[in-house]
Amino acid sequence: EGKLKVCLVDIDPEAMRYSQSPGFNAPHEGMNSRSIAWDLRAEDAVGLLEKDPDFDLIVSNPPYIPTKSEARASKLDMSVGGFWEGISLVVFLLELVFQRRCPAKARLVMMVTSITLKSPAVVAALNEAVEKGCSVRVLLEREIAWKAWYAGPSALGHLLASEDEKVSRRRIAGCNLFQGATEPGDSRTGSDGRDRLWGYHWHVAYVLEIQALG
């Protein structure tokens, strides 16, 4: 009941300028005609959530590609500066929920991909979430193209699926998920003529819902 409070945060001030433009078309009302109070912030989401984790729902499309060191060990790489590389925010958000720093029954809805799941730290954090009484659900699964030449490291071997990972899913946090990307011309689904698109690697996108129960 009452007014909905929605906070949008992006570290890029240009994103904030767009969110205040007519093209963004922010609604004034939500479900059941509840009015919406928008809080737009150009700042680091981690800093914001460290200070104020009191959100019932967190929705994030974080950087999701592990660095080479993150794909080979559980330690996070805090030195990366690209918009696409480094999975520390993924792990931070998972810990925020399973450490119960958010309100009871808070939900995290987050996109990761089979590339993200090449990181032992992400796999460990998802499994720990379940061990600590959280539910993990796949809301959406879809194989999508990856422009590795645009948003990817110069060497891709640490992000590619092994022969077994191409065809077999791994049980992670109670869900059956793929790991790694496939080469151009070798997608997992082979649908829509995608294997003729030689400029694209392929990975499986997952929209996950993580909720602290009890």
Side-chain angles (χ1 to χ4, degrees), residues 2 6 8 17 64 91 93 96 105-106 152 154 161 164-165 181 200 204:
V6 180
L8 295 182
R17 283 190 284 272
Y64 62 86
V91 174
L93 291 171
L96 195 72
K105 297 188 178 181
S154 56
D164 183 60
E165 289 170 339
Y200 299 94
V204 181

Side-chain angles (χ1 to χ4, degrees), residues 117 123 127 165 168-172 175-179:
L117 299 174
V123 172
N127 285 330
E165 289 170 339
S168 300
R169 297 169 183 263
R170 178 178 171 187
R171 191 75 171 167
I172 300 171
C175 305
N176 295 319
L177 308 173
F178 283 113
Q179 290 178 290

Side-chain angles (χ1 to χ4, degrees), residues 63-67 70-73 86-87 90-91 94 110-127 136 138 140-141 158-162 165 168-181 188 203-208 210:
Y64 62 86
I65 299 178
T67 65
E70 288 173 331
R72 294 179 174 174
I87 45 79
V90 174
V91 174
L94 289 168
M110 174 172 62
M111 196 194 102
V112 298
T113 85
S114 54
I115 295 175
T116 320
L117 299 174
K118 291 292 282 187
S119 162
V122 172
V123 172
L126 283 166
N127 285 330
V136 177
V138 177
L140 178 70
E141 173 183 315
H158 60 290
L159 301 175
L160 297 179
S162 66
E165 289 170 339
S168 300
R169 297 169 183 263
R170 178 178 171 187
R171 191 75 171 167
I172 300 171
C175 305
N176 295 319
L177 308 173
F178 283 113
Q179 290 178 290
R188 286 181 169 99
H203 56 147
V204 181
Y206 297 104
V207 178
L208 301 180
I210 300 92

Side-chain angles (χ1 to χ4, degrees), residues 8-21 39-43:
L8 295 182
V9 58
D10 196 296
I11 203 166
D12 184 356
E14 189 59 37
M16 288 299 98
R17 283 190 284 272
Y18 172 70
S19 70
Q20 298 174 66
S21 70
D39 181 9
L40 308 176
R41 305 200 187 189
E43 59 182 278

